[in-house]
Amino acid sequence: TPEEARTQYPEAFETWVHTPLSTQFPQGESLRRVQVRAWSTLDGVCSAHEGETVAVVSHVVVNRALICAALGLVGDAFWKIGQDNAAINVLMALHGRYRVLLLNDTCHLESIAPDRES
């Protein structure tokens, strides 16, 4: 949990809060390394399927790291990107350049949301 990380690794936790891409918890992979690895995979998939539509499913941390990479964002920008559970993001790749067309869309979940009046 965040509370456990703050207690056990206070310096790493502070770095995580302020500059997440430069953080590495003990026995863990740095977020920057996750970003590089995920970006390399995404770029390879997009290159292999240029002109096609491809779906990639991942977790919130990887999604944020990929969006930061696509937009050229660094530092604490990681925390400024909303990523809800089951959100849809749409990136367009063209000749190795990326544009974010849709971010954190959850409108598809509205039809399955519990009735708030019952």
Side-chain angles (χ1 to χ4, degrees), residues 2 5 7 18 23 27 30 60 71 75 85:
T7 301
H18 299 289
T23 303
Q27 291 84 44
S30 72
V60 64
L71 295 174
N85 288 335

Side-chain angles (χ1 to χ4, degrees), residues 38-115:
W39 186 258
S40 175
T41 300
L42 179 66
D43 197 43
V45 168
C46 290
S47 294
H49 297 279
E50 191 154 333
E52 299 176 311
T53 299
V54 178
V56 177
V57 179
S58 191
H59 297 278
V60 64
V61 170
V62 175
N63 290 346
R64 282 181 176 165
L66 288 172
I67 293 164
C68 282
L71 295 174
L73 302 174
V74 295
D76 70 342
F78 176 85
W79 297 115
K80 296 177 182 178
I81 296 171
Q83 285 297 278
D84 294 320
N85 288 335
I88 295 174
N89 302 298
V90 177
L91 281 70
M92 184 174 75
L94 186 60
H95 308 297
R97 299 189 65 167
Y98 292 80
R99 291 177 51 205
V100 176
L101 303 179
L102 184 67
L103 183 64
N104 198 39
D105 185 3
T106 57
C107 69
H108 58 285
L109 301 175
E110 291 173 11
S111 65
I112 61 172
D115 183 5

